[in-house]
Amino acid sequence: MAHPSSARRSVTEHRAAVAGLLEPLPVADRELADCLGLVLVRDLTAPVPLPPFDNSAMDGYAVRAADVAGAGAADPVTLPVEADIPAGRTEVPALRPGTAHRIMTGAPVPAGADAIVQVELTDGGTERVEIRAAVAAGTHLRFTGEDVPKGAVVLRAGTVLGPPQLGLAAAVGYAALPVRRPPRVLVLSTGSELVEPGTALLPGQIYESNSVLLAAAVREAGGTATVLRFVPDDVDTFLGAVRSHAAEVDLLVTSGGVSAGAYEVVKDALTGRGVEFVKVAVQPGGPQGCGRLDGLPVVTLPGNPVSAALSFELFVRPALLGAMGHTVVDRPRARARLTSALRSPAGRRQYRRARHDEGMVEVVPVGGPGSHLLASFAASNCLIEIPEPVTEVTAGTEVDLVLLN
């Protein structure tokens, strides 16, 4: 639906429009090392119990509890040591009555043993061992299936795979897991005034930073980024650059070239080719666009760095997470008291950069509302969200925060 120049699309509407561009990403089995942060698509059951065998929880001696029942520091029990059982031994002799086996943590418990005497309660002997304390049956034993029985569901579909989940999958024998693959994003930053960081600036030039910022944001969200930089402000060159990569990516994200002025190459190239440009009721970041170019989902962001960063947070990041199968796509939120008054334009949802330290009841605005003030964004760890109808917030008012870190 076309939006007249006087109308503004709400943040919620534009977020839905961007999210609607991305279908759920394909499912593939990926090696565990490549699954961090991805979403499991099927329940995972344990093909083996965990632990897979009875094993020792301590370095010490495997014994029969009855054989050491009378042991004490003043009246130790001495037993012959008939075997050494290191972790990893696969053939373990049975324990005969009246004997002990020296055993290491994680090693299989020999048949006939029902307790482990930790080495600190002995003299550490290798041929004969002096046991200086009695132990009850079951002491320091880890039993088969105690953690996970064979056939139990260990991870549910929809689980986000972090280090503990990947460790558990490996512990029950999985080398790969079924997940939705990471989104592949083409990041394109336009502007003839942009130059490579590290080179000398000429009058009228600025260092290109948006592609660095947006590619990092893609990776932080779990995706992979291909970066196109320094594409000239020429429609045919722009379209050729995009189309040369279109088959390799799931989404194109551009920054710059979407305002109402002249030389807006993104707008010129994509208008009439399936991408709609709108004004969104947000500050910063009003000029936005989204749609499809030759079937490729496209999101166009403003060129000012804070506008680009905030627009990614509001619109692109949730869409990427949703396509990966995440059910929680929003940043955590909190509430805190404002330390100084703020003003906001009527009819726009304003996001102000701020700092809010954990455990503190106050939030401190950082910098002004300008969309070029990147240093204040880098110094912030949250955003103050001021609703559309509100034009002024006084100091001491409790406000909503979007937590970035």
Side-chain angles (χ1 to χ4, degrees):
M1 181 180 70
H3 285 249
S5 59
S6 60
R8 290 186 181 273
R9 179 183 280 177
S10 73
V11 171
T12 301
E13 289 171 338
H14 193 64
R15 173 174 159 138
V18 172
L21 294 173
L22 295 178
E23 301 291 332
L25 290 157
V27 175
D29 284 346
R30 294 174 68 91
E31 293 183 5
L32 295 184
D34 298 325
C35 287
L36 181 65
L38 301 183
V39 177
L40 188 69
V41 297
R42 293 191 293 274
D43 287 354
L44 208 66
T45 58
V48 297
L50 187 66
F53 52 85
D54 294 350
N55 68 87
S56 176
M58 288 283 180
D59 293 340
Y61 296 83
V63 299
R64 296 171 185 260
D67 289 341
V68 297
D75 188 19
V77 171
T78 300
L79 299 175
V81 178
E82 293 198 338
D84 255 349
I85 311 175
R89 183 168 179 176
T90 56
E91 295 182 6
V92 177
L95 180 74
R96 296 190 306 116
T99 68
H101 289 179
R102 192 169 69 153
I103 193 167
M104 302 300 119
T105 302
V109 175
D114 62 5
I116 306 295
V117 180
Q118 66 192 77
V119 68
E120 292 84 354
L121 300 178
T122 74
D123 66 350
T126 57
E127 295 185 1
R128 300 184 66 80
V129 61
E130 194 175 88
I131 308 293
R132 297 167 178 169
V135 292
T139 298
H140 301 316
L141 296 183
R142 301 167 177 163
F143 295 101
T144 303
E146 177 183 320
D147 190 6
V148 177
K150 181 179 179 179
V153 175
V154 291
L155 295 171
R156 294 287 181 185
T159 296
V160 179
L161 297 167
Q165 292 76 29
L166 294 174
L168 175 58
V172 295
Y174 285 91
L177 297 177
V179 294
R180 296 200 182 276
R181 66 161 173 77
R184 305 165 304 180
V185 181
L186 178 63
V187 175
L188 193 156
S189 183
T190 65
S192 295
E193 76 280 13
L194 304 176
V195 296
E196 179 86 25
T199 60
L201 289 176
L202 297 176
Q205 293 182 330
I206 60 173
Y207 291 125
E208 197 283 312
S209 60
N210 279 0
S211 68
V212 175
L213 185 156
L214 293 172
V218 168
R219 291 191 292 269
E220 193 223 16
T224 62
T226 300
V227 175
L228 284 179
R229 305 170 77 187
F230 315 118
V231 176
D233 288 345
D234 175 79
V235 167
D236 291 337
T237 303
F238 175 90
L239 290 172
V242 171
R243 285 169 171 156
S244 69
H245 290 81
E248 307 160 7
V249 297
D250 305 299
L251 174 68
L252 166 65
V253 175
T254 70
S255 64
V258 297
S259 297
Y263 308 109
E264 302 293 344
V265 65
V266 174
K267 202 168 189 179
D268 293 343
L270 300 179
T271 296
R273 291 185 170 91
V275 177
E276 181 184 16
F277 293 89
V278 298
K279 294 179 180 178
V280 176
V282 65
Q283 187 191 54
Q288 301 281 343
C290 66
R292 296 179 184 273
L293 173 66
D294 305 332
L296 174 66
V298 176
V299 179
T300 68
L301 308 180
N304 278 318
V306 176
S307 295
L310 176 64
S311 298
F312 186 94
E313 280 291 327
L314 294 180
F315 308 124
V316 182
R317 183 178 183 273
L320 294 178
L321 292 175
M324 294 168 65
H326 288 264
T327 55
V328 177
V329 299
D330 293 318
R331 296 280 193 183
R333 286 181 169 257
R335 288 178 66 80
R337 291 199 303 269
L338 193 60
T339 59
S340 57
L342 296 176
R343 297 186 65 82
S344 180
R348 300 192 199 183
R349 188 182 301 180
Q350 188 185 65
Y351 290 88
R352 293 291 295 269
R353 287 134 274 178
R355 284 205 65 83
H356 172 69
D357 295 325
E358 186 177 357
M360 301 297 289
V361 297
E362 293 183 327
V363 60
V364 181
V366 178
S371 58
H372 63 295
L373 302 175
L374 185 57
S376 62
F377 199 103
S380 301
N381 64 4
C382 67
L383 299 168
I384 300 169
E385 184 181 74
I386 303 175
E388 291 85 341
V390 177
T391 59
E392 185 171 355
V393 186
T394 58
T397 301
E398 194 172 67
V399 292
D400 290 314
L401 306 180
V402 178
L403 305 181
L404 299 178
N405 298 322

